[in-house]
Amino acid sequence: MDQVYSLRHLGFFSKHLLTVTGEGFYYKDTLYTRDDVKKLFVSGGGAGPRRMGVHLADGRKILINAVALELNGVKPKTEFFSGTNQVFEELRAYFEGQST
């Protein structure tokens, strides 16, 4: 089953971010694989939200905020002290090539 990630804006509406499928992930209607991920930066935490920047081979950048991230329309609970949640960490592991 495809995993659809969205970012919640202003607490009222969601904007589609990317879709992870068995063949890779779609970002802005373009199919990428994990081999297309050139750099991954993670910052924040410690009572602030975690943020991730994914640099792709074609020069695009995906910016992800753990607090705003949703999976299949469901917003996960973000821990106060770590600034992260399970959905964010699973997506991070996916981009690092550790799991599917």
Side-chain angles (χ1 to χ4, degrees):
M1 180 176 164
D2 295 348
Q3 295 177 318
V4 179
Y5 293 90
S6 303
L7 292 177
R8 180 150 304 267
H9 293 279
L10 303 173
F12 295 109
F13 61 95
S14 293
K15 181 178 178 185
H16 179 263
L17 178 65
L18 59 93
T19 302
V20 176
T21 67
E23 52 196 21
F25 63 96
Y26 286 90
Y27 176 67
K28 295 192 176 183
D29 297 325
T30 303
L31 176 63
Y32 296 95
T33 64
R34 283 189 259 187
D35 293 334
D36 292 316
V37 176
K38 296 303 174 193
K39 291 183 186 177
L40 182 72
F41 295 101
V42 179
S43 65
R50 299 282 302 217
R51 293 178 182 89
M52 178 168 40
V54 182
H55 294 242
L56 302 174
D58 63 0
R60 285 184 167 170
K61 297 175 186 166
I62 305 172
L63 303 175
I64 304 167
N65 186 328
V67 174
L69 189 63
E70 295 181 337
L71 174 60
N72 298 328
V74 178
K75 186 175 192 280
K77 182 177 180 346
T78 302
E79 299 295 325
F80 179 74
F81 289 109
S82 66
T84 189
N85 56 55
Q86 182 179 353
V87 172
F88 181 85
E89 292 302 324
E90 288 172 0
L91 189 58
R92 176 183 177 182
Y94 173 80
F95 284 128
E96 289 175 341
Q98 297 176 358
S99 66
T100 52

